[in-house]
Amino acid sequence: MTDATPARQAPSRGLLARLPALPVSLVIGVLLLAPLAVAAVAGSWLAPYPYDEMNIMSRLQPPGADFWFGTDEFGRDVFSRTLVGTGSSLVMGVAATALSLLAGVPLGLVAGYKGGRAGEAIMRAMDVLMSFPPILLGILVLAVTPPAQWKAIVAIGIVYVPQVVRLTRAITLELMQEEFITAARLRGESAAYILFHEILPNIWPPLAVEASLRVVFAILLGASLSFIGMGAQPPSSDWGLMISEARPFVEQAPWIALCPGFALATAVIGINLLGDGLRSLLDPRNTGAH
Amino acid sequence: MLAYTLTRLVYLALVLAVMSVLVFLVTQAMPGDVASMIAGQFASKEVVDAIAVKLGLDQPLIVQYGRWAAGILRGDLGRSLVLEQPIAPILMEALGRSLVLAVVALAVVAVVGIALGVLAAVRRGKLTDQLVSGVSYLGIAVPDFFWAIVLVLVFGSYLKLLPTGGYAPIADGFLPWASHLVLPVVTLVLMLLARIARLTRSSMIDVLQTNYVKFARAKGMPESVVILRHALKNALLPTITVLAIDFGLILGGVVVIETIFSYPGMGRLLLFAIQRHDLPLIQATILIVSAAYCLANLTADLLYAFVNPKIRHGMRAS
């Protein structure tokens, strides 16, 4: 997700000339995500104040010259906290998606390529996982031990494994009908060779599209888990947690909730657009009825 | 169709059985021990052991699971440790409230979403179309709890039109009851509107290009009759299926919404149970919400098969 760098090097003339060829949604998505990517990498360095510096003298200050987006109930600078929280909020979604791919792709490959009992067992296990509502599955995984952010990442990863398995299996089954796979089999290649050298390179484009959209759900689920106290823990400035902590003060100081809320919305819209753009770039079959 | 329905029901029962084992095992792994919670923190070890024996907690896990599962089948969900009452009545009351929220939200999503979708399809490519997709896109771009806070801020704190949380039983009168539902319902609707509107729009666009719609127009029927009676009826099939899926989503995602609006339904009951380490209550709430979620998804599948014979026969063959 963070390799959305082209926009930052935009001034080069060659790229500008090629821009019209890229889908508009991809370009807008990258433009929205670029500042977030910068904030995620260099947030604590760019922030005007340390994210956890309390200053009781300036509690609940409205946005102004000193504090661009005001301060919270401990006098912490909301802008700095939102900036520093970018990493936590986005990493949660990206890491969870990566985990679900890491576990889901091999399972899907086996289920699709081997089929038989092993494949059946994998798919039925996925059915059970999918029978839980996503947030409840997350809660079930998390409620066992005291909450921590890495546990939330693992929980979200588990929640989205079934979708990855299903997609990988479906694409694998489709590829198995292709001639180049039959040819490889006739050549007497090993199953491992076919899986890793013939099938895997061909499933990544649809998986990349899927993953980019999955990241959005993962970020939102992560924010929801942090919001109900099962994700990032104080004094972290994860966006979901910030919004949760801002609730009691929402009438006096709405900016504490609004700033991370807008950041979250920017991230979600940006990734959605990026995903739409990727889809039209990588998967020409899917021109979309919408 | 009957055979397909039966197969699916049997499969659902199997999935629920596996789920109950999972829920049971996970809650067993949670910290906190039921017997010492009942005995209180100053009880001696003998008292704790006696309670454990009385409750059968000293027996192997499989026996405990068997007893728990048999109880559920009889409608006995056990006793809450914190509330010190049988769980079933508490849970049914909370489930009823959550269902009210879900049904009202679903009805609003259906009416508004389908209307917006038809409007966008009829005025395809024009400003109305773009407005509809823009507005519905906003709904999914922001997490539900953020919308909830914005709504509370605008309608509760600034305009002082609506209560910002809580619940009033319908016995207190219709208006207080309904006014407590408005903000949670609107939040849920914002979340689900986009999908319904976009789906209705695209299937409506497909249907409007079919021959029978052209024929109806050629017969000189008024455009409103063509759209509402002929086209919409056929365009709605996929939408109805998604509405059933959404019903499951609402039930599953109810934890966050109910927490924000202090609405005393299943979601809040579950969080309460987790915060107080009430193991029997955690097991029961997770199992019941998940079962409701599965039922909603099954309904969606059956509806889909029912309206689409190709799927129906394809599935039977496999």
Side-chain angles (χ1 to χ4, degrees):
Chain A
M1 220 57 331
T2 34
D3 59 4
T5 32
R8 275 189 275 158
Q9 331 163 328
S12 97
R13 181 161 286 211
L15 196 86
L16 267 185
R18 264 184 287 139
L19 267 186
L22 292 171
V24 184
S25 51
L26 188 77
V27 177
I28 301 178
V30 169
L31 287 179
L32 284 178
L33 290 177
L36 291 179
V38 174
V41 175
S44 47
W45 184 69
L46 291 170
Y49 302 88
Y51 78 101
D52 53 355
E53 185 182 83
M54 299 192 194
N55 191 346
I56 300 301
M57 296 302 284
S58 49
R59 294 178 75 223
L60 301 175
Q61 292 286 311
D66 282 346
F67 305 103
W68 296 349
F69 289 93
T71 60
D72 68 5
E73 77 272 25
F74 298 115
R76 297 178 296 195
D77 179 44
V78 171
F79 178 65
S80 303
R81 287 179 64 71
T82 308
L83 212 56
V84 175
T86 316
S88 159
S89 309
L90 298 186
V91 158
M92 214 154 152
V94 175
T97 308
L99 260 183
S100 65
L101 286 173
L102 218 59
V105 170
L107 285 174
L109 281 175
V110 171
Y113 187 78
K114 284 266 201 187
R117 283 234 188 104
E120 188 71 9
I122 292 174
M123 296 321 286
R124 295 295 83 85
M126 293 306 122
D127 282 356
V128 173
L129 278 189
M130 282 183 96
S131 305
F132 287 100
I135 196 163
L136 279 202
L137 184 57
I139 291 176
L140 192 64
V141 176
L142 288 170
V144 181
T145 52
Q149 186 166 23
W150 69 269
K151 293 177 191 164
I153 292 174
V154 174
I156 302 167
I158 295 177
V159 167
Y160 292 122
V161 165
Q163 277 95 335
V164 176
V165 173
R166 283 193 166 187
L167 183 69
T168 310
R169 174 176 173 269
I171 308 167
T172 309
L173 284 178
E174 215 173 281
L175 284 174
M176 303 264 286
Q177 313 290 325
E178 301 277 341
E179 278 163 6
F180 67 92
I181 302 288
T182 321
R185 282 186 157 174
L186 291 177
R187 283 203 310 270
E189 301 286 5
S190 68
Y193 178 88
I194 295 178
L195 278 177
F196 290 105
H197 291 264
E198 306 281 358
I199 294 181
L200 202 56
N202 283 295
I203 55 175
W204 82 262
L207 271 179
V209 173
E210 165 77 9
S212 71
L213 297 175
R214 197 53 60 201
V215 166
V216 171
F217 291 111
I219 289 176
L220 289 178
L221 186 57
S224 296
L225 286 173
S226 293
F227 181 80
I228 57 174
M230 298 203 154
Q233 298 298 310
S236 156
S237 61
D238 180 271
W239 295 339
L241 185 64
M242 274 183 84
I243 297 177
S244 167
E245 290 175 339
R247 268 182 66 215
F249 307 95
V250 77
E251 284 185 41
Q252 302 158 266
W255 51 85
I256 316 176
L258 292 178
C259 190
F262 283 124
L264 201 46
T266 312
V268 169
I269 295 176
I271 299 172
N272 266 327
L273 289 171
L274 185 80
D276 282 352
L278 271 184
R279 179 159 44 187
S280 44
L281 203 65
L282 293 176
D283 196 2
R285 277 175 306 172
N286 199 337
T287 42
H290 301 299
Chain B
M1 189 63 204
L2 185 68
Y4 175 62
T5 311
L6 284 178
T7 332
R8 289 300 309 261
L9 279 175
V10 171
Y11 190 57
L12 176 72
L14 283 175
V15 167
L16 286 179
V18 178
M19 266 170 104
S20 73
V21 175
L22 273 182
V23 171
F24 183 81
L25 286 180
V26 170
T27 38
Q28 288 301 318
M30 285 182 190
D33 152 38
V34 173
S36 41
M37 275 189 82
I38 294 179
Q41 66 186 118
F42 302 112
S44 66
K45 192 172 177 306
E46 289 74 43
V47 177
V48 174
D49 287 345
I51 292 176
V53 171
K54 198 179 141 214
L55 292 177
L57 296 175
D58 54 336
Q59 288 173 3
L61 268 186
I62 185 140
V63 177
Q64 291 190 42
Y65 169 76
R67 191 178 301 155
W68 179 67
I72 291 173
L73 293 178
R74 276 184 277 115
D76 171 16
L77 297 171
R79 280 179 74 87
S80 159
L81 299 181
V82 178
L83 300 170
E84 299 184 328
Q85 293 172 35
I87 290 172
I90 310 173
L91 202 138
M92 284 306 135
E93 203 183 353
L95 182 65
R97 293 193 194 123
S98 293
L99 283 178
V100 167
L101 201 60
V103 169
V104 176
L106 201 69
V108 178
V109 167
V111 173
V112 179
I114 291 170
L116 285 180
V118 171
L119 197 68
V122 173
R123 314 201 41 94
R124 185 182 179 189
K126 300 201 176 120
L127 187 65
T128 327
D129 183 17
Q130 279 149 4
L131 267 182
V132 167
S133 57
V135 169
S136 53
Y137 207 64
L138 268 185
I140 40 173
V142 186
D144 45 3
F145 55 83
F146 183 70
W147 274 128
I149 287 175
V150 172
L151 288 173
V152 165
L153 205 58
V154 173
F155 292 97
S157 306
Y158 290 155
L159 299 177
K160 304 215 181 296
L161 283 177
L162 294 162
T164 55
Y167 171 80
I170 198 159
D172 293 0
F174 178 77
L175 266 183
W177 173 78
S179 67
H180 282 93
L181 282 179
V182 175
L183 290 184
V185 164
V186 171
T187 311
L188 288 169
V189 168
L190 277 173
M191 224 172 66
L192 302 172
L193 196 61
R195 203 145 63 121
I196 295 295
R198 283 166 82 173
L199 188 68
T200 311
R201 174 184 175 273
S202 63
S203 57
M204 193 70 188
I205 285 173
D206 290 345
V207 172
L208 284 176
Q209 285 160 349
T210 56
N211 283 330
Y212 70 86
V213 168
K214 286 184 188 147
F215 182 69
R217 277 185 181 145
K219 274 199 304 193
M221 281 190 170
E223 188 66 15
S224 60
V225 176
V226 173
I227 287 169
L228 291 181
R229 194 167 311 150
H230 290 73
L232 185 58
K233 207 170 93 187
N234 288 288
L236 276 189
L237 297 180
T239 310
I240 291 171
T241 324
V242 172
L243 280 173
I245 297 176
D246 282 349
F247 192 70
L249 278 183
I250 299 179
L251 282 181
V254 89
V255 181
V256 174
I257 296 285
E258 289 185 355
T259 307
I260 299 174
F261 292 106
S262 333
Y263 187 88
M266 288 299 271
R268 265 196 69 203
L269 191 63
L270 174 61
L271 267 196
F272 169 82
I274 290 176
Q275 279 153 4
R276 306 292 295 272
H277 286 289
D278 192 336
L279 298 188
L281 194 56
I282 299 176
Q283 290 172 338
T285 28
I286 291 192
L287 194 66
I288 297 293
V289 173
S290 304
Y293 179 76
C294 287
L295 269 180
N297 283 341
L298 177 67
T299 314
D301 282 359
L302 290 182
L303 275 174
Y304 191 60
F306 185 69
V307 299
N308 191 339
K310 234 190 285 179
I311 300 280
R312 179 165 78 218
H313 294 302
M315 282 194 173
R316 196 190 279 169
S318 69

